Amino acid sequence: MLDAARRRIIHGGLFASAAGMASSLFPGPVAAAQAVAPGASHHAGAMEVLHGGMTTVGEVDRERNGFDPTEIMTDWDVGQVSIADDGRRVRIYEITAEDKEIEIAPGLLFPAWTYNGRVPGPTLRATEGDRLRIVFRNQGSHPHSMHFHGIHSARMDGVPGAGVIDPGAEFVYEFDAKPFGCHLYHCHALPLKRHIHKGMYGAFIVDPDPARHPEQEETARSRLLGAPENGRWQEFVMVMNAFDTNFDDENEVYAVNTVAHAYMKRPIAIDRARPVRVYLVNVTEFDPINSFHLHGNFFDYYDHGTTLTPTARTIDTVMQCQAQRGILEISFAEHEPGMYMFHAHQSEFAELGWMSLFDVRAGATA
Ligand SMILES: [Cu+2]
């Protein structure tokens, strides 16, 4: 799998490889990136103290991208909510497919296909039993769809003949939010791997309805967005993705929520007194598996998020194939404050961008 070009990337570090790829593919923004020497003081941060500067150099322009990996982690799209005549809650989501160039590492632009202009697409969140209507408009240059991992009819599956629509067209997917869990959606137009690796995917979270789980009502409430029991948790969505920047069916850049090393440069602030819940989804194309490994701590894991009791307890690493996902629950209550790493335990992925930090603090976080 590991060809000579990739080895050069690994040994040269991501900065060198990103600049090299960008200069051949995307002349322009590279000059700015190259002007910043590795180790320059103005970007010195936690990652250099902890990891010898083994990270990207410079900053991604979040404004131009129109999305911010830090905000994506907690940005839930709950739709437009109304109550139907029969008393059921209805949620309407509006999603538009569009072509968009995004910056995935400093100076490295990728010609993405997006949902609502961002990668990953909006994190759609609902409660078990809600009626969902997803109004999907295709303003991109290719046929696209939204294929949900959930329970629905064949007509609503988002595959060719059932919701793959041409540029300029519109389709409404309608189904009930079930089962509760940590799910995803992605484009299912052909060729599938192209539409996925171009950026057409997002998380789809269905919170359990506590009334349906009387035997574990308290646990269900802790998962229900807006419930007081949920408010004490620090919840984050993390979509593990990667980018094939030279179109050779192998990835050159790896990340959580698209931007390489985003959470090395801006570690995720954690109040150690409050538990942490991560909705983890793997959409990585081309590589058979991805993984999440936490330093200095262990977590409980709920495969697919479809149970209220953990499917694995006290683990520090979990593997996921593409489209596999789950919920991690972590406590730092007994830990001393500090920077706690987490990353893919495929070392290659970590060095090419999938490396992050929790900044665990005593006392409230801003
Ligand atoms: Cu597509």
Side-chain angles (χ1 to χ4, degrees):
M1 296 264 311
L2 198 64
D3 62 24
R6 293 183 104 194
R7 282 197 197 92
R8 277 200 302 277
I9 288 166
I10 293 162
H11 293 147
L14 182 59
F15 163 71
S17 63
M21 286 183 288
S23 58
S24 58
L25 288 171
F26 313 109
V30 176
Q34 285 173 330
V36 183
S41 61
H42 72 267
H43 61 267
M47 69 288 180
E48 286 180 296
V49 175
L50 283 167
H51 208 236
M54 185 65 132
T55 182
T56 52
V57 173
E59 290 294 333
V60 162
D61 186 339
R62 296 188 286 270
E63 217 153 291
R64 185 179 60 187
N65 267 351
F67 59 87
D68 177 338
T70 296
E71 288 169 11
I72 277 180
M73 283 193 301
T74 56
D75 181 11
W76 321 114
D77 183 347
V78 299
Q80 183 190 324
V81 181
S82 61
I83 305 296
D85 293 343
D86 63 0
R88 275 184 91 183
R89 188 165 44 220
V90 178
R91 295 180 192 266
I92 299 174
Y93 303 88
E94 302 209 27
I95 307 289
T96 302
E98 52 188 283
D99 300 4
K100 184 174 173 181
E101 202 169 70
I102 60 171
E103 191 178 6
I104 58 171
L108 182 57
L109 300 179
F110 180 78
W113 296 344
T114 72
Y115 293 115
N116 287 5
R118 44 171 277 181
V119 179
T123 300
L124 307 186
R125 194 157 176 176
T127 304
E128 182 181 17
D130 292 347
R131 189 66 172 172
L132 308 185
R133 266 180 220 128
I134 300 101
V135 181
F136 177 56
R137 299 182 183 94
N138 185 359
Q139 291 177 8
S141 55
H142 293 70
H144 294 302
S145 76
M146 295 181 75
H147 162 71
F148 282 83
H149 285 232
I151 296 173
H152 51 249
S153 71
R155 288 180 299 114
M156 295 294 159
D157 202 34
V159 296
V164 174
I165 56 170
D166 286 331
E170 179 179 312
F171 189 89
V172 180
Y173 305 95
E174 182 161 345
F175 47 82
D176 295 341
K178 62 182 181 180
F180 74 84
C182 173
H183 307 307
L184 72 155
Y185 62 90
H186 61 85
C187 182
H188 215 298
L190 301 175
L192 189 56
K193 70 178 179 181
R194 182 163 189 230
H195 285 253
I196 291 180
H197 100 259
K198 289 283 269 183
M200 303 202 79
Y201 43 74
F204 169 45
I205 298 170
V206 179
D207 295 336
D209 173 5
R212 299 180 188 213
H213 308 282
E215 70 294 342
Q216 288 175 287
E217 192 176 340
E218 183 78 9
T219 306
R221 282 190 179 287
S222 88
R223 294 256 298 260
L224 179 63
L225 187 66
E229 295 85 345
N230 177 259
R232 57 187 285 270
W233 287 78
Q234 300 166 97
E235 295 192 326
F236 307 107
V237 69
M238 297 191 187
V239 177
M240 300 190 288
N241 55 358
F243 296 91
D244 170 17
T245 55
N246 58 0
F247 317 111
D248 63 350
D249 286 1
E250 288 191 356
N251 295 310
E252 280 72 42
V253 174
Y254 292 81
V256 160
N257 298 335
T258 298
V259 176
H261 290 141
Y263 308 121
M264 288 298 281
K265 299 185 175 206
R266 286 192 295 162
I268 301 165
I270 299 292
D271 174 354
R272 70 173 175 180
R274 297 168 57 203
V276 174
R277 180 178 287 135
V278 175
Y279 295 90
L280 183 71
V281 179
N282 177 30
V283 296
T284 309
E285 191 56 78
F286 306 122
D287 294 286
I289 57 165
N290 205 327
S291 63
F292 180 114
H293 165 62
L294 176 63
H295 284 211
N297 205 347
F298 281 67
F299 53 85
D300 284 349
Y301 185 69
Y302 302 72
D303 189 27
H304 291 68
T306 46
T307 58
L308 294 172
T309 47
T311 52
R313 290 182 193 273
T314 320
I315 59 176
D316 71 1
T317 305
V318 66
M319 285 193 302
Q320 293 181 344
C321 68
Q322 188 188 52
Q324 200 172 1
R325 65 280 184 187
I327 297 173
L328 287 67
E329 291 183 351
I330 311 166
S331 171
F332 288 99
E334 308 291 319
H335 278 61
E336 64 178 55
M339 295 288 178
Y340 292 88
M341 280 188 161
F342 63 99
H343 58 87
H345 220 304
Q346 289 86 348
S347 308
E348 178 191 1
F349 297 4
E351 292 177 0
L352 293 173
W354 181 173
M355 168 69 77
S356 302
L357 291 170
F358 285 125
D359 176 6
V360 175
R361 302 172 185 182
T365 52

